[in-house]
Amino acid sequence: MLPGNVVTGGGRNEDDSDTNESASQADVITVAAAECRSISDFICETRVTSMFCGFLKQYGLLDDLSQGNWTVFVPYNPAFAEIPSVGSSFDSARSLLMFHAVYDSVLMDSQLECGSLLEMANGQTSRTFCKTFENVQVKNQKGADNKLEEMPRIIAPNNIACNGIVHLTDRVLLPSGALSHGY
């Protein structure tokens, strides 16, 4: 059976009802699961996001991103060189990491509206900023403590996972109060 085909009652393939190919619903689910990576899998299997993966593991958040639907703004590894630490306490580190995620919403780059606010999983908001350079629109996702001249730029948008979207950024998103927590 090819992935993406829909199996109807009686094991017939909706895409080609003349075939005698039969498959159970379990076969279809197995095929889909084998080819689909969760957001956690994507983050941890992508070399340039290994530091974010490590922090998610360290602070007990990796499993959260394997369940439910998410949009996640993931800083690539060099972004963490710009901040002295992920947080001064366990709770502040978890809050910083969850500030990179939007729960129960899957937003492609085209759905990130310039000037709009997103409620992040830690309860704070970030704003989408857009700039145009030589007729190319560049999107940034800014936290309250990110400086305007150093906004996190979305450098690799629309990485699709089973349970959402990952947008890679060139900087860490800093929520309100982040600077006072020693980031």
Side-chain angles (χ1 to χ4, degrees):
M1 164 163 302
L2 297 174
N5 289 346
V6 178
V7 175
T8 61
R12 290 177 55 140
N13 188 338
E14 214 175 280
D15 290 348
D16 185 2
S17 58
D18 293 333
T19 66
N20 289 327
E21 180 184 53
S22 65
S24 69
Q25 289 290 345
D27 292 336
V28 174
I29 293 168
T30 301
V31 169
E35 294 183 6
C36 191
R37 295 188 308 170
S38 70
I39 286 176
S40 292
D41 291 340
F42 175 86
I43 293 168
C44 292
E45 293 171 5
T46 303
R47 190 171 2 142
V48 298
T49 59
S50 62
M51 290 183 75
F52 196 73
C53 172
F55 291 130
L56 291 172
K57 285 180 184 177
Q58 181 178 350
Y59 293 100
L61 296 170
L62 195 60
D63 287 342
D64 293 345
L65 294 178
S66 294
Q67 304 166 21
N69 294 314
W70 298 89
T71 298
V72 185
F73 299 91
V74 179
Y76 77 140
N77 291 340
F80 290 100
E82 297 177 13
I83 60 171
S85 72
V86 174
S88 57
S89 72
F90 185 82
D91 289 338
S92 66
R94 284 177 60 95
S95 180
L96 173 71
L97 294 169
M98 293 312 290
F99 186 66
H100 289 78
V102 180
Y103 180 68
D104 204 25
S105 187
V106 178
L107 300 167
M108 299 289 286
D109 179 64
S110 62
Q111 296 170 300
L112 298 172
E113 296 181 22
C114 303
S116 66
L117 289 173
L118 293 178
E119 184 174 338
M120 309 308 277
N122 73 345
Q124 292 191 38
T125 59
S126 71
R127 185 176 302 275
T128 304
F129 280 88
C130 302
K131 295 181 181 181
T132 302
F133 298 103
E134 298 180 11
N135 295 324
V136 175
Q137 187 178 64
V138 176
K139 291 192 177 174
N140 301 272
Q141 198 64 38
K142 181 188 176 302
D145 279 5
N146 289 109
K147 296 176 185 174
L148 279 174
E149 63 275 4
E150 297 176 353
M151 289 186 286
R153 183 170 42 104
I154 298 172
I155 57 175
N158 302 332
N159 296 282
I160 299 171
C162 294
N163 62 326
I165 299 287
V166 174
H167 302 293
L168 298 181
T169 63
D170 67 346
R171 295 183 187 275
V172 175
L173 278 70
L174 298 176
S176 178
L179 298 177
S180 65
H181 287 291
Y183 300 126

